[in-house]
Amino acid sequence: MAVSGFEGFEKRLELRFFDDDKPITNNPMGLRLIDFESLDQVLNEVQCTVVSAVANRCFDAYVLSESSLFVYPTKIIIKTCGTTQLLKSIRPLIHLARNLGLTLRACRYSRGSFIFPKAQPFPYTSFKDEVIVVEESLPKSLCYRKASVMTPSNNPSRAWHVFTASADVESDESVVVVEVCMTELDRVNARSFFKRKGDEKNNSDSAGKEMTRLSGIDNINANAFICDFAFDPCGYSMNGVDGDRYSTIHVTPEDGFSYASFECGLSLYDDGHEDISEVLSRAIDVFRPSDVSIATTYGGDDYNNDVTKRVERLLAKKLGLKCRSRLMDEFPGSGTVVYQSFTPRRK
């Protein structure tokens, strides 16, 4: 393991709002009306910038210099890697939403265990300090709160940290969020995310498209429009847009601290979409990692143990990954989180 390097593990923040003058049809664009200059100022506080963007009728997707931002009419998702100051975005985003007549309904902050924890600035050196900062940034109306550190017995250094706060005891979110964190990527597969000789002459947009094609990322969801970006001299980010569904991938390919993440939002009840276990299998197969963790957040009463078991069976069958730990925790107003850890069978 390198003494120091780029921190791939992201911090993730999700804020959900409701319209003061219900229903949202009074303002169907909602948070998407926040102007770019205002978003850019928030991102400046976080210490990142927009490098690419795409939008459809449902939401706006931004690739950032450090990960991604998604803006829906009543929901914002922002995840940032490195040593960014993600929690500094909470207060200004709540303020911008309030100017549009939107009130905060729920907040969720989550992250894995950093590869280089000592390199993080305050408060990210301690989850307790992070929780304090989040709580101080939220209105008292979000009274249902819980913080949890989900620690797998097989690998205590790869814990999953979650804090949630909600104005309601029952979750209003029907979307299932799947977050995959992968370390020790296959060295051959990781080469796809280094710019090749001659790529310096090409812009990051065309180099990104080449990485998407060579790695097989374009096969994970053939229906998604991919907005990709290649970093110099290595590294890759992409956002996938498929109707109201998002997906995102971020790659730090350097040997010694290689890392990749895949995240998507989906519904368990929509017809015409592939089984999540198949999607996860293809996403993980792009990187062939030695260590995989999957955090799945189910809103409301949507927790489905069959889905959890199906993912485990398929990853074992197709990729030779054995589930070493499965943890579950419930969060008032924010649903259920299932955290699974996998390593190859040979380990």
Side-chain angles (χ1 to χ4, degrees), residues 181-337:
C181 299
M182 297 166 274
T183 56
E184 299 177 54
L185 311 183
D186 180 89
R187 292 183 180 183
V188 174
N189 293 38
R191 288 177 194 162
S192 298
F193 303 100
F194 285 81
K195 282 190 173 180
R196 297 180 299 171
K197 288 183 179 179
D199 278 353
E200 307 85 37
K201 299 176 183 178
N202 300 325
N203 60 38
S204 292
D205 184 56
S206 59
K209 285 179 170 50
E210 183 75 354
M211 290 180 183
T212 298
R213 185 184 64 81
L214 287 175
S215 65
I217 285 174
D218 55 348
N219 295 321
I220 296 173
N221 178 3
N223 295 323
F225 177 84
I226 293 177
C227 179
D228 40 28
F229 191 87
F231 293 91
D232 204 6
C234 64
Y236 168 92
S237 287
M238 84 80 164
N239 290 333
V241 175
D242 179 12
D244 62 351
R245 298 164 182 245
Y246 75 92
S247 59
T248 185
I249 291 176
H250 304 284
V251 187
T252 302
E254 293 99 321
D255 193 34
F257 51 95
S258 62
Y259 171 84
S261 67
F262 170 76
E263 176 181 334
C264 64
L266 59 115
S267 170
L268 297 179
Y269 306 108
D270 284 356
D271 294 329
H273 285 83
E274 239 182 330
D275 187 282
I276 182 57
S277 57
E278 294 284 353
V279 175
L280 291 181
S281 176
R282 285 199 295 273
I284 295 169
D285 194 39
V286 167
F287 304 100
R288 289 278 171 173
S290 290
D291 193 278
V292 180
S293 64
I294 302 176
T296 307
T297 303
Y298 298 86
D301 299 321
D302 283 346
Y303 171 59
N304 189 323
N305 189 53
D306 290 341
V307 175
T308 301
K309 293 291 187 68
R310 197 157 62 242
V311 168
E312 292 176 4
R313 285 195 300 268
L314 195 69
L315 294 189
K317 180 181 178 181
K318 289 199 169 184
L319 303 181
L321 292 171
K322 180 176 176 59
C323 183
R324 309 289 181 175
S325 171
R326 185 196 313 123
L327 303 170
M328 184 177 76
D329 206 347
E330 295 181 356
F331 296 82
S334 298
T336 301
V337 176

Side-chain angles (χ1 to χ4, degrees), residues 125-138:
T125 50
S126 162
F127 186 58
K128 288 183 178 179
D129 289 335
E130 290 167 274
V131 170
I132 290 171
V133 170
V134 177
E135 292 207 278
E136 290 177 345
S137 304
L138 299 176

